[in-house]
């Protein structure tokens, strides 16, 4: 199967943001596609994320007046034209030669807030410089605190407006699909981590396990989190929240906002759809506290459903990768435009002129 | 694939009204069929409409006496021999050269009330003249009030007995199936709208959206509805109701009856099956208030289920189009006869001699 | 496809009673098979009958003592070695040249109670004479009371021990599968009805329907039922009950026992699985009142489930026809032996030595 | 299809314990595979066992500290490094020439407790001698008490640490899949039973059944169980429990622990998934009482789910057979290593450092 170069213009048969998924298969080598599209284990959670959106139903409402309509939102001091952010996606050079720079330009063109990944193919400073729109930096905790601090300082210096700390992958679950397709991550250290060094190998006592005593000893714990939020003037958001009790504790410790997410079905297989966790987390943290969702969104209708269940905004991961591979910055910008229009059609037909009109009462069982 | 001309007689293998769906594929060009059969988005709501009927179960009852059996009904001053109306379907010339005239003749032959569409291929006066049976006129709100008034006056003058105002499509959702099949609506202005002129293009302020600020500014709001019901001596029914609160407000404002409908899955994809909305709407508006259902009905058993859940009558859209394309007026009349017989078999086996015997107690879960 | 003559011995690959279903396809002409196997409409109820059994789960129980084990049952004065009866199946000459005589001999050989149909291919007297085991006569109400009385007298004189009055088919629903396969019932009047004459054609008033005013005027009503039970010294059972209120009224009017049934999915399509109606009917009529189930049973496990949900016994229809066509009397006897063994395995593993130990507590959700 | 000899090394495409299922098909003759993989009847319970695990969802928890992490467990006086035991599987010579000796060596290498079967291909003394790890002996009740006693004495003398009495198969249900594939058990008496003699054939009275009066008279009852627990100094566990009342009675009679199991879907078809029985049994027997689960486990995630629903440990049957046939002792050891790692990944991502942290609160609906 031939892999086609990225397109210079948008093909006429892309009618919906979700269409980038099928189309991208022509522009991504199969092993890379398996990595981008696949989930961990037997992909139960990957499927659950999608099914969760499908079972939610929006109630049509009639005759409301839209003179004061708006999709604007403000989160952690960042003003957004619309509640759709670009999720952190690492290693974008695998998808397009322009990598994160293309995504940053698409964000710039569409007024979208981008979350740059610790594992980006380009240095965080280069990504930041490529967009005048809002941007946040996604941080993976490093085993040495000084390495974590250095990433924080660089993000602050570059001009990022918030830190998104990913907490849901202290150990990495296997993507069978990617493994079977022969996918391997690039062997080069990602540029943001060039100065970080691994800890010296830790000797395990008899009966100790590499996973539980080895890897988990390098993962952050509640003390580390408490320390981290004091080390930066930027708001720190936590990514990967599912349980209300974790959400409450994070909020109490000064975390400025949270992203309900199961890493798009790429962390533990067998966990619930993130959409199903959202309402309980919102209930636990109360209103007036920034809450985002990622995992499973493929349309503006899905965005509406997430907002109705308690999210202030959403992040787009896989569709970002598909659009990037299909048509570079142009593709990502077009995908975002479609998502926004799809959201607006929902708002029009659900009778909700502003985001604050979107609430659980807009949904029905079927 | 060859498109066959309409048949002159009913084929022997049409045993049920629903059989017109399969058969029609031989008589409708594929793009037109995609337009008629398809729903918006990924057709979740189109499927939900059908599944809703399948999950409802009718309870057989024994030994009731049928000497006083009847399928008669009276709605908004219109007497009906049976509770099955012909839904407004526009552009019928796409399906048969006789267009709405054939449907009107079928209505005439079977004593069925027809609802003529604003977007009919023939002028509303011609449609009206072709049937001596009851008929209602379906109205799309026009951006200029004088255009709306002119349509009202013409409908009154022609002899329609009620106005059906469609409210569920202030913006039009995309039918992917029709788009992909290459379907385009006729470029001619429908004859009923020949005298209507579009509003001058409205300049959008920076950050305003074509959808939310452009199109939605031409859609009717509650004030428009309140004005409209005072402008005609005919009863006004509202079509496209899903939420009980909208139903109550419409009733309070003088709307004479309502049609629970999601436009057959052609408006917002992802809304609930209309059948699932019916009981709550009936509960909200109370008894003794005309309530109809369309969206998803393909058999007399479905009609029975809708009546049991609170409808006084139902409207038939797609089956009308399929029967029209298959065998013109004869096909539509035969399809209506089958639907009525299927309803009567249900009534016989559910032990309900009259429509007022059909209530939620006739249904069971499974 | 060749239709093979009935087998002289049981093939080695028939391991379970249900295997006769597949096997019978080699011994029944396709139109006849469509008639025997099919249900009405789109066969929703036919499928629901099967799915209902599959969703019920039996709880294994341990270590109970089986010294006093027994499968005996007594119903309406009839002693049964096991709770599995042969349901009334008409027109058995379509399946085997020996017709009901073969079934009667199988009943004789296995101590099974047979219910002979009004529509049997052989006269009711011949069927009765062919078995020394218990037998009941199934009665279809005839439009003239004298015809009904004559059938009653003949059944009494022949030696039947009970009358089973079928109530669930006052109008006949269409079997699409049989119609499409070209099946036609034999044109000869069934021998039991040779002396019955149709009523003179009734003139319908304008607006009256063949179904609701024509056919339904020939169906029995509550007054007819009340009259009927006074016309015979035999116990009268009612077949085709689904609703608890009908069950209570029938019991009050002197009906001696009832069969919960939807005619195996052959009457109204869209009614619930009969198994799902059983518990509510048992609750309504109380204990110590004969209640049977047919519709959907294909194994001894299914028999156990029906007993656990309130049935005292079950009737076997389609499997009877499949076994008859496959191997005549031998096939029917073998099928009954397998069913009984399957029931006994269930009893052993559910820890229930007698039928009276089988109750709702033997079941669990899953 | 060629049957390949067992592999000398682990193939690279076995990424998860469950992969041994597919792989084993290359190393097991089809009839033997049908016997190992199949369930009784129509395999409803076999499927239910798997579906039960799939519908349970694990909740991810964040930032817990794992310094004191451990997978250790102690059951009936046996210390376990991890809560995964090898279930009793008879006739292992059908799968590998080294039979139970290979399994015993794998248990030895991985510190796993093995449960040796009464029906093992090798004498129980030989199996015991092949592993220095903990081992239990599975006992089938023998019709003569002296035969049962002899097995107990041999197990004690050989050095087994507990007796596992299987109670769920007083009569054997048919495996259609194995029968159709032509599978026959070895005609030789299993070596552990060489000294046991069948009871003289018992004459059945007229109307008595081979199943209910013949076979069931040789099965143990509550009196036998009560006697048995007094005949050995070893703890006796009961295998095959589903109902809470049986569990309570067994505990009261001195049974030291229990295994919730439906024999992997090999006993009565149509019983619930064992996972669905677990919580009620745990509730009934209270905490601090050894409870294990088998039936349906194919991954470490499944192990975690069973522990969360109340099990202290689990037993692995089919995967043991698949791994044995694929690569002998090496395969079984590798399969166990994978299962343990999969469990550890779950523990890491569910935030549960020890087995006692795993409770129903770790699960969510979806």
């Amino acid at each position: 199967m031939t892999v086609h170069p990225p397109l210079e213009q948008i093909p006429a048969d892309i009618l919906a943001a979700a269409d980038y998924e099928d189309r991208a298969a022509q522009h991504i080598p199969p092993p890379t596609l398996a990595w981008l599209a696949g989930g961990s284990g037997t992909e139960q959670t990957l499927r659950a994320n999608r099914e969760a959106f499908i079972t939610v139903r929006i109630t049509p409402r009639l005759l409301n007046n839209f003179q004061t309509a708006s999709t604007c939102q403000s989160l952690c001091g960042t003003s957004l034209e619309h509640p759709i952010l670009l999720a952190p996606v690492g290693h974008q050079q695998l998808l397009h030669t322009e990598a994160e720079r293309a995504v940053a330009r698409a964000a710039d063109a569409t007024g979208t807030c981008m979350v740059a990944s610790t594992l980006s193919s380009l240095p965080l400073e280069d990504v930041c410089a490529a967009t005048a729109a809002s941007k946040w930096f996604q941080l993976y905790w490093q085993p040495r605190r000084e390495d974590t601090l250095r990433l924080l300082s660089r993000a602050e210096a570059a001009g990022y407006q918030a830190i998104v700390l990913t907490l849901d992958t202290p150990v990495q679950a296997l993507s069978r699909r990617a493994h079977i397709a022969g996918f391997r991550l690039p062997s080069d250290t990602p540029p943001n981590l060039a100065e970080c060094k691994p800890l010296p190998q830790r000797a395990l006592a008899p009966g100790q396990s590499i996973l539980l005593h080895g890897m988990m000893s390098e993962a952050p714990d509640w003390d580390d989190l408490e320390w981290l939020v004091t080390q930066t003037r930027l708001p720190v958001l936590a990514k990967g929240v599912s349980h209300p009790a974790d959400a409450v504790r994070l909020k109490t410790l000064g975390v400025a906002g949270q992203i309900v997410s199961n890493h798009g079905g790429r962390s533990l297989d067998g966990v619930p759809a993130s959409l199903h966790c959202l309402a309980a987390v919102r209930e636990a943290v109360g209103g007036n506290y920034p809450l985002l969702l990622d995992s499973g969104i493929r349309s503006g209708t899905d965005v509406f459903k997430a907002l109705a269940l308690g999210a202030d905004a959403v992040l787009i991961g896989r569709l970002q990768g598909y659009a990037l591979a299909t048509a570079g910055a142009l593709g990502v910008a077009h995908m975002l435009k479609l998502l926004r229009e799809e959201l607006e059609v929902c708002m029009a037909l659900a009778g909700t002129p502003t985001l604050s009109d979107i609430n659980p009462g807009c949904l029905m069982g079927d």
Side-chain angles (χ1 to χ4, degrees), chain A:
Chain A
M1 184 182 158
T2 318
V3 175
H4 295 276
L7 303 171
E8 301 288 319
Q9 61 182 69
I10 303 303
D13 59 354
I14 293 193
L15 307 174
D19 292 339
Y20 276 100
E21 181 160 6
D22 277 351
R23 184 73 195 204
Q26 305 179 15
H27 301 281
I28 306 181
T32 306
L33 183 60
W35 160 75
L36 181 60
S40 56
T42 54
E43 302 191 341
Q44 290 177 28
T45 295
L46 183 71
R47 287 188 296 275
N49 279 338
R50 288 300 305 137
E51 287 158 10
F53 279 99
I54 291 171
T55 57
V56 172
R57 298 272 181 242
I58 300 170
T59 313
R61 297 300 299 270
L62 307 174
L63 293 168
N64 286 349
N65 187 290
F66 273 68
Q67 277 179 331
T68 59
S70 162
T71 59
C72 292
Q73 181 67 287
S74 176
L75 285 183
C76 301
T78 299
S79 292
L80 305 167
E81 287 181 32
H82 56 78
I84 304 168
L85 291 83
L86 288 162
V89 175
H91 310 290
Q92 299 199 0
Q93 205 120 42
L94 294 169
L95 300 169
H96 192 279
T97 53
E98 288 292 304
E100 292 80 11
R101 203 162 7 227
V103 171
R105 283 195 287 124
D108 200 38
T110 56
T112 302
C113 177
M114 172 187 186
V115 186
S117 168
T118 292
L119 303 178
S120 57
S121 300
L122 300 174
L124 62 90
E125 291 80 4
D126 294 12
V127 180
C128 197
T131 173
S134 309
K135 49 239 158 185
W136 296 353
F137 179 70
Q138 178 271 338
L139 176 71
Y140 276 119
W141 175 264
Q142 300 300 315
R144 298 179 192 269
R145 286 193 173 186
E146 62 264 33
D147 289 334
T148 300
L149 282 179
R150 191 179 327 107
L151 285 167
L152 278 183
S153 306
R154 287 174 59 187
E156 290 179 11
Y160 288 97
Q161 292 155 261
I163 299 298
V164 174
L165 178 69
T166 300
L167 295 176
D168 57 9
T169 45
V171 302
Q172 194 68 37
L174 177 77
S175 166
R176 295 178 58 81
R177 206 198 294 191
H179 187 98
I180 289 167
F183 176 77
R184 294 289 173 277
L185 277 175
S187 54
D188 301 347
T189 302
N192 290 333
L193 302 181
E195 295 173 273
C196 302
K197 285 186 211 104
L199 287 184
Q201 183 113 26
R202 187 174 167 233
L204 292 177
Q208 286 197 318
S209 113
I210 296 176
L211 271 154
L212 297 186
H213 305 99
M215 296 184 197
M216 287 304 286
S217 71
E218 301 195 356
D221 65 11
W222 288 103
D223 290 342
D224 296 319
L225 186 277
E226 205 164 348
W227 169 81
L228 182 81
V229 293
T230 65
Q231 302 299 311
T232 172
R233 58 173 174 76
L234 295 180
V236 174
L237 294 94
K239 181 167 181 287
V241 178
S242 296
H243 196 284
D246 284 343
V248 168
R249 190 164 175 188
L250 288 166
K251 182 183 175 190
T252 306
L253 294 177
V255 166
Q258 298 177 34
I259 301 168
V260 173
S261 167
N262 56 32
H263 222 104
R266 305 168 84 89
S267 183
L268 182 61
D269 189 38
V271 307
S274 290
L275 188 71
H276 285 164
C277 299
L278 183 56
V281 171
R282 170 54 81 192
E283 167 102 15
V285 298
N288 272 322
Y289 180 77
L291 205 56
L292 296 87
L293 180 98
D294 85 2
S295 298
I297 291 176
R298 300 288 184 279
S299 72
T301 306
D302 294 342
V303 176
F304 185 94
K305 291 172 179 176
L307 298 181
L309 284 165
D312 295 309
V314 302
L315 297 99
I316 303 298
R318 283 190 181 81
L319 283 186
Q320 178 191 159
Y322 297 139
L324 174 63
T326 301
L330 181 65
V332 176
H334 180 240
M335 181 275 296
L336 287 164
K337 174 174 169 292
L338 288 172
L339 273 185
R340 182 178 175 168
E341 285 175 5
E342 290 161 9
L343 170 63
E344 289 180 357
V345 168
C346 269
M347 291 171 70
L349 295 174
T352 51
T354 72
L355 301 192
S356 62
D357 295 313
I358 305 174
N359 59 45
C362 300
L363 304 179
M364 288 178 68
D366 189 40

